[in-house]
Amino acid sequence: MSWNAVKISRILRKLLTVSTLRILDLSNNRISRQGVTAIANNLESAVSLHTLDLSNNPITSRDAFLLLSKLRTKSISLVNLIMDNIEVNREFVKERARILALKYRRNCKITYGPVRHDYVLSTPDLREILLKRFDYLTSKGSKKHQLDIGLYFLEKKELENFIQPRQVQRDMKIAGVSVDNELIEGVLDMFPGPKLEKGGKTMDLVGIVEIVMRLWPEKKLPPKPEPEPEEQKVVKGQKGKKKKKKK
């Protein structure tokens, strides 16, 4: 689904009323509190829904707990609640164990991401979410049309500290990968670089690379080849000429 669609709770409500809907994959999107609330309030309407995947969304631990708690309702048919990379708190983990102990939930699968060791609600880092989305879009195509977005930004950082968004769009097009303009604008907003003389906007490659290394610390550019040694030039007319000894 597109980013715009998943932000509209009305569309989500309609989706959940489709009687033949068994799997709803909303992973790698921008679903936040409004979308989660719409889903939670309409799960009972999804009479055939078997699997709901909300992985890699800007969902808070509070939102995750809200969805989890809905599984206490016996009439909800959901079996698999997939929330990979969604941060939760310890109360979520305890509630999950209690729900899975229920007779009508013993076959359920409930996944989640890292666990906070306190009860302070955290706000997901939108910079990480944007780059993860970028990575997903640029790596999901065929081998011929894939791009390692982490290495791409590392290479660009070697040349400049900022880049124009139109250059990124052009590079994506050349690589044959499809990236929506809204994503590029989101990266531009989260990593603003210096404005150009004519007022054009740029992306801050220093900030982008910082998040790239946080997400994928193993990414490194290949070593640069050593320059070939220069050949010694022979001056014409001197080849094989012996120096005369001074008397």
Side-chain angles (χ1 to χ4, degrees), residues 78-118:
L78 188 66
V79 176
N80 298 322
L81 177 58
I82 312 300
M83 294 191 291
D84 295 341
N85 293 323
I86 302 299
E87 189 177 76
V88 300
N89 54 33
R90 288 183 292 180
E91 189 57 30
F92 177 98
V93 177
K94 293 177 183 178
E95 179 68 1
R96 175 181 178 272
R98 290 190 288 263
I99 287 175
L100 292 178
L102 298 172
K103 288 184 178 180
Y104 53 91
R105 294 296 178 204
R106 288 180 181 174
N107 293 324
C108 275
K109 179 182 178 182
I110 304 169
T111 67
Y112 54 93
V115 180
R116 287 184 62 86
H117 295 288
D118 53 49

Side-chain angles (χ1 to χ4, degrees), residues 10 21 28 34 37 41 48 50 55 72 100 103 149 155 163 176 189 197 214-215 224 228 230 245 247:
R10 178 172 53 84
L21 182 66
N28 296 289
Q34 184 180 3
T37 302
N41 291 340
S48 299
H50 181 274
S55 303
R72 282 191 169 274
L100 292 178
K103 288 184 178 180
I149 197 63
E155 288 175 354
I163 188 172
D189 290 338
E197 290 183 3
R214 183 193 301 177
L215 292 172
K224 294 181 179 179
E228 295 182 2
E230 294 184 4
K245 292 183 180 180
K247 292 183 179 180

Side-chain angles (χ1 to χ4, degrees), residues 39-55:
I39 293 170
N41 291 340
N42 291 276
L43 275 178
E44 284 191 81
S45 302
V47 293
S48 299
L49 187 61
H50 181 274
T51 299
L52 173 62
D53 191 346
L54 292 168
S55 303

